Amino acid sequence: MGNPNLTPLEDALAHLLSEARVVTRVETVDLADSLGRVLAENHYVPADVPPADNSAVDGYALRKQDLAENQAIPVSARIPAGEAPKALAPGTAARIFTGSEIPEGADSVVMQERVEVTDTGIVVNAEVTEGQNIRRQGQDLARGDLALAKGTQVRPNEMGLLASMGVARVAVLARLKVAILSTGDELVDPGTPLAPGQIYNSNRYTLLGLLAQAGCEVVLCETLRDQREATLETLLRAAESSDLIITSGGVSVGEEDHVRAVLEESGNLSLWRMAIKPGKPLAFGAIGGTPVLGLPGNPASVLVTFFVVGMPYIRKRQGRSHQNPAGERIPADFSISSTSARREFLRARKETRGSDPVVAAFPNQSSGILSSACWAHGLAVVPENTTVSPGDLVIYYSFAELLS
Ligand code: AMP
Ligand code: MG
């Protein structure tokens, strides 16, 4: 039975994604600074890559039909990489190196290991196939082809490919500007001694790290007192400078939980309370025209809800064409009996039993236990109202995949 007051994860995600507007600001960066950025336009190949036929090995370029058994063929030229070759004199070979352009008139390259060098030239000791060891012009990228589509996130691989096409400056979507607001009168930043009743603000740092890894720009990072006016004032101020406000805490049902109340009164609250564990009180809405993702306060809930709900939403707003994580199905190395109508995300990690992979879960899954998140490498999913026994297949997402 589902709880009518809790939104199922799929519905919550569908709602957030339908609300997720892609950033429209475009900026141009040096190729060297493009790592992790999202391409704002299609990249068509301006000229063939490689630009000419070239040798795949160190050896000799020749025309296959000039070879006669056991007969030496004179070497008439030497073509280092980087030089424009002259046409090959008929009946001769050219010394050639990996990456050197193939001279006109040659149709094959013989590796130097297959050749005997004599006083009168080279003797080829191997079968030669026409075209062998030649990398063809345009074999990597042909002029006019779509090399990389808009929405591609630039990895080192794409940086190299863009360079191979001669691209020096790249149009990319602006980074998503995010404001982090931690709420709670009990919070103190590390570096200050704790007075009675206080705890350190850990969510702020978890979120700073997550947002940096997600390629967002944190434009504001403040701690909010549990006070209605101050909450409203800071949310409105954050709305002016950011594309997204992420809050932690203050979305539960206590009278000190002002974020949700302020959204309801002065902005809008389109989602509150999700059927997931941890993370039930998650809220989503907007204030001053800026979307607000209200994460729960408990440190492990922040991490889980950011990965499971925040990332798909952020990914879409970043304009990334990337697919959502698929996870892996791996046998469980734990047992859990969930009579809950909430889908549970366990802090987990992949281990091996014998030579087989299994998923182990941290023993204490309380949402206040942040050490579990450092032990874990990912999240294992326990579906609603399900009992998992050791050996049962569960879906496991690594943190790296969830952040990708
Ligand atoms: P709340 O939803 O505001 O009631 O917070 C739930 C729990 O999370 C409480 O125990 C808070 O003290 C704790 N909490 C809230 N915000 C933070 C934070 N930024 N860092 C560490 N713990 C927090
Ligand atoms: Mg609080």
Side-chain angles (χ1 to χ4, degrees), residues 111-229:
M111 281 173 88
Q112 64 189 41
E113 292 85 342
R114 306 271 184 274
V115 161
E116 191 185 323
V117 182
T118 71
D119 291 345
T120 49
I122 54 164
V123 177
V124 175
N125 301 315
E127 198 53 37
V128 172
T129 313
E130 200 177 304
Q132 72 177 34
N133 296 324
I134 295 179
R135 304 193 285 215
R136 291 295 174 197
Q137 174 176 342
Q139 72 170 26
D140 189 359
L141 299 168
R143 180 163 172 252
D145 282 357
L146 178 63
L148 293 171
K150 177 179 173 176
T152 301
Q153 190 177 29
V154 177
R155 300 169 299 172
N157 320 22
E158 281 74 32
M159 288 175 77
L161 194 78
L162 288 164
S164 79
M165 290 161 50
V167 174
R169 305 260 303 158
V170 199
V172 295
L173 295 179
R175 291 185 195 280
L176 197 67
K177 293 184 184 173
V178 183
I180 301 174
L181 303 180
S182 323
T183 73
D185 283 341
E186 71 278 33
L187 302 178
V188 175
D189 259 318
T192 320
L194 288 182
Q198 296 183 326
I199 60 167
Y200 287 119
N201 182 349
S202 58
N203 292 343
R204 168 188 182 146
Y205 295 89
T206 307
L207 286 169
L208 279 170
L210 288 167
L211 289 166
Q213 287 205 338
C216 297
E217 181 189 352
V218 174
V219 289
L220 192 97
C221 189
E222 290 185 18
T223 303
L224 273 179
R225 297 296 137 216
D226 290 322
Q227 205 262 331
R228 189 69 53 100
E229 275 308 303

